[in-house]
Amino acid sequence: MGEPVTVTPAAADLIRSLRGQHGPLMFHQSGGCCDGSAPMCYPAGEFRTGGSDVLLASLAVDGVPEPVEFWMSKAQWELWQHTRLTVDVVPGRGSGFSLEAPEGVRFLIRSHLNR
């Protein structure tokens, strides 16, 4: 089945750029509301995870010296556990809370059912 979370080359490029600007990074997959269920990128440790969150992956991105953790709420993972998630990037503004917002692009998740 492979890793539950991967990144596209475009997302890896943006992660490298954001790492250079902000230091170590992390993702938390949002469950919706104002950010529309988007993967939110933060400086590592800025988003406080807890017992209701699951660490899905420690992403190895070429050119980034440390893994980029990818978190999701347990309740949301129960619904998505049969999918593989791919972090991608597309033009357009996402949430103001995610680090890429000023760049004119936004991260998004592409999901594929595990077979």
Side-chain angles (χ1 to χ4, degrees):
M1 281 194 305
E3 294 295 321
V5 183
T6 59
V7 298
T8 64
D13 286 343
L14 183 55
I15 290 168
R16 280 188 288 277
S17 175
L18 294 172
R19 168 57 173 90
Q21 296 173 52
H22 302 282
L25 304 172
M26 68 177 291
F27 281 97
H28 190 276
Q29 174 64 36
S30 167
C33 184
C34 56
D35 46 51
S37 193
M40 307 293 285
C41 184
Y42 301 100
E46 185 172 298
F47 184 92
R48 296 186 66 171
T49 58
S52 64
D53 296 299
V54 176
L55 176 62
L56 297 184
S58 293
L59 302 168
V61 177
D62 287 340
V64 175
E66 65 283 315
V68 178
E69 292 184 343
F70 191 98
W71 293 82
M72 180 182 283
S73 75
K74 282 182 185 179
Q76 188 173 1
W77 180 238
E78 286 184 20
L79 298 172
W80 288 28
Q81 65 185 323
H82 304 293
T83 63
R84 284 182 308 121
L85 307 176
T86 302
V87 180
D88 201 358
V89 63
V90 294
R93 246 181 97 81
S95 171
F97 299 115
S98 193
L99 290 175
E100 82 281 4
E103 306 294 324
V105 294
R106 64 186 180 92
F107 287 113
L108 63 81
I109 285 293
R110 298 188 189 280
S111 61
H112 310 277
L113 286 174
N114 288 329
R115 297 187 191 247

